[in-house]
Amino acid sequence: MTTLLGHRPLVQEAAALRSGADHPVDAVRRTCDRIDAVDPRVRAFVPEEGRRTRLLEAARELAAAGPPDPAGRPALYGVPVGVKDIVRADGLPTRAGSALPPEVLAGAQAVVVDRLRAAGALVAGKTVTAEFAVTAPGPTRNPHNTAHTPGGSSSGSAAAVAAGMVPLAIGTQTVGSMIRPAAFCGVVGFKPTYGRIPLDGVIPNALSFDTLGWYATDVAGVALAASVLLDGWRGGRGGPGRPEPDPRPGQASRPVLGVPVGPYLERAGEEALRAFEEQRGLLSAAGYEVREVPVMDDFDAVVEQLFTMNRYEVARAHADWFARFGDRYREQTTAAIRQGQAIGDPAYEAARTRRAAFRAELAAASAGAGTDLWLAPAATGPAPADLTTTGMSIMCLPWSNAGLPSLSLPAGRAADGLPLGLQLVAAEGADEALLDAATGIERVLNGAGGEGASGR
């Protein structure tokens, strides 16, 4: 299914609403019309009776509260946003894609939603998640072809943006739950440095890895959202509340790009690797220096270390709920919890020690090679034609393990017409530099016939 955007890109949408050229009530009507038209097929949003009435009331209250002067309006004034259904939002139940009673999962509104609402955003609704953000997929379909998975666990958020229902949506990533759906759905997905947004009010998966992130249709939109969501934002002009994006981002200096050659990169499929070679060629031709960096020779051990920690933490996060409602959990989530229950404290602590060493080794490899960003496929290939899986997270795994900021850019299409993604990864805390560099790289990819590398 081919879709046309129902929203302008986030920066333009927000600018029109702040200036008064558009009105929050009109934005809500467009959003609800688009959800009504598209979501019965895509199923990105958790069904909500009375969504239109709730949103119209919120839009009218926002407009009445002011400020009347456009110069005083916050960055996301009137912008409808999707929120993954493990993130608590006042007025909406949290189900986490599960059959547990919503009142069991209730709690205080998430800090990230506090920040969205303080910036003037309107919560369009909850977006579908894999059960408890593990691996059991929800009902969401890929907007480009509804026989294919949108990825997961932030499936609904990625699909909602890709299908033009909202210009911004919040997700989370533990291993590959932001970056992979972005690649599969053909949008920009951003996972900040671990810890740069408080997780208060978010149902945990594995707390050593869980990170909030978001989707937009371009890097400028991701950066606008970053300016109001990240702790200690250092980008843009005019301050965190009212960013004015640099009209020439990515032009001050080109980062040196590192390709992590070895067992990790070999996990990508043939089609992803062919497209990746084209993308590397485009960037080299545009003046970027691309260096191959041998790294992660012990990649299988890295995978084992991450999942030891992940499953241990999943089991502990669900200890109470699983004891009370274990028969309501889906098979995949139950298996993950059972695996975690079998992992003892010594094995977990040993895995934590190995992760610290891995982080140091990865940073040293980048420093030794003189690279600024890692460059890799965002997924092993295009979205599988299989709605029983969310796809493989392996291309995101090492970067999530190290807590590094990462971003997926749309980078052409596969032979079947489905999107492909290019993953950029920066050093810990270098989120602003990553977004700045991504703007220049986005421009190179978009210059390849408007489709990016491998455009067909």
Side-chain angles (χ1 to χ4, degrees), residues 49-362:
E49 196 168 329
R51 184 193 313 274
R52 186 181 296 263
T53 299
R54 174 183 64 80
L55 275 171
L56 285 171
E57 182 179 350
R60 292 183 181 114
E61 288 178 358
L62 179 71
D69 180 4
R73 290 173 181 162
L76 300 179
Y77 177 81
V79 173
V81 180
V83 175
K84 184 176 180 177
D85 195 28
I86 62 167
V87 179
R88 297 186 181 104
D90 288 349
L92 294 170
T94 299
R95 296 184 173 88
S98 77
L100 271 65
E103 57 271 19
V104 171
L105 306 179
Q109 177 167 276
V111 168
V112 69
V113 179
D114 290 341
R115 293 180 181 182
L116 286 169
R117 285 178 160 158
L122 302 172
V123 177
K126 291 298 197 72
T127 52
V128 169
T129 175
E131 185 183 48
F132 289 113
V134 185
T135 58
T140 306
R141 273 58 174 151
N142 193 307
H144 297 272
N145 185 328
T146 54
H148 291 248
T149 178
S153 62
S154 301
S155 49
S157 292
V161 171
M165 288 183 267
V166 286
L168 175 67
I170 303 299
T172 64
Q173 177 156 311
T174 303
V175 183
S177 299
M178 284 291 310
I179 299 301
R180 183 172 77 261
F184 285 176
C185 293
V187 294
V188 179
F190 175 57
K191 183 203 80 73
T193 296
Y194 172 78
R196 277 203 73 175
I197 304 178
L199 287 168
D200 306 61
V202 179
I203 293 175
N205 179 332
L207 283 173
S208 291
F209 308 97
D210 294 348
T211 306
L212 284 152
W214 50 91
Y215 298 101
T217 57
D218 55 23
V219 175
V222 164
L224 175 61
S227 72
V228 298
L229 296 178
L230 286 184
D231 283 343
W233 170 252
R234 302 180 299 275
R237 299 181 302 176
R242 291 296 309 281
E244 295 294 338
D246 188 326
R248 298 174 294 103
Q251 294 300 303
S253 62
R254 288 191 177 96
V256 177
L257 307 175
V259 175
V261 294
Y264 157 74
L265 193 59
E266 293 164 5
R267 293 293 190 98
E270 290 184 9
E271 192 162 25
L273 288 172
R274 281 196 300 270
F276 184 59
E277 288 304 313
E278 291 181 33
Q279 293 150 12
R280 286 178 58 180
L282 285 170
L283 291 167
S284 294
Y288 287 85
E289 185 174 356
V290 182
R291 300 177 182 173
E292 293 192 347
V293 185
V295 70
M296 293 185 272
D297 287 341
D298 58 345
F299 187 59
D300 286 342
V302 174
V303 174
E304 186 272 332
Q305 167 260 304
L306 178 138
F307 279 106
T308 296
M309 291 182 63
N310 177 291
R311 295 307 189 230
Y312 176 98
E313 293 185 3
V314 167
R316 274 68 188 172
H318 285 267
D320 177 61
W321 293 332
F322 192 69
R324 297 162 61 195
F325 303 104
D327 59 338
R328 302 193 189 190
Y329 280 70
R330 293 174 63 184
E331 179 182 356
Q332 298 96 318
T333 316
T334 295
I337 291 170
R338 295 292 190 202
Q339 289 166 13
Q341 290 172 336
I343 297 169
D345 293 349
Y348 174 71
E349 291 302 328
R352 282 172 54 88
T353 300
R354 284 155 46 207
R355 182 177 67 158
F358 170 73
R359 285 176 165 175
E361 291 166 6
L362 203 57

Side-chain angles (χ1 to χ4, degrees), residues 385-411:
D386 185 351
L387 297 174
T388 68
T389 177
T390 60
M392 296 178 64
S393 61
I394 200 73
M395 304 315 296
C396 310
L397 184 148
W399 322 116
S400 294
N401 194 34
L404 303 181
S406 55
L407 181 141
S408 178
L409 290 173

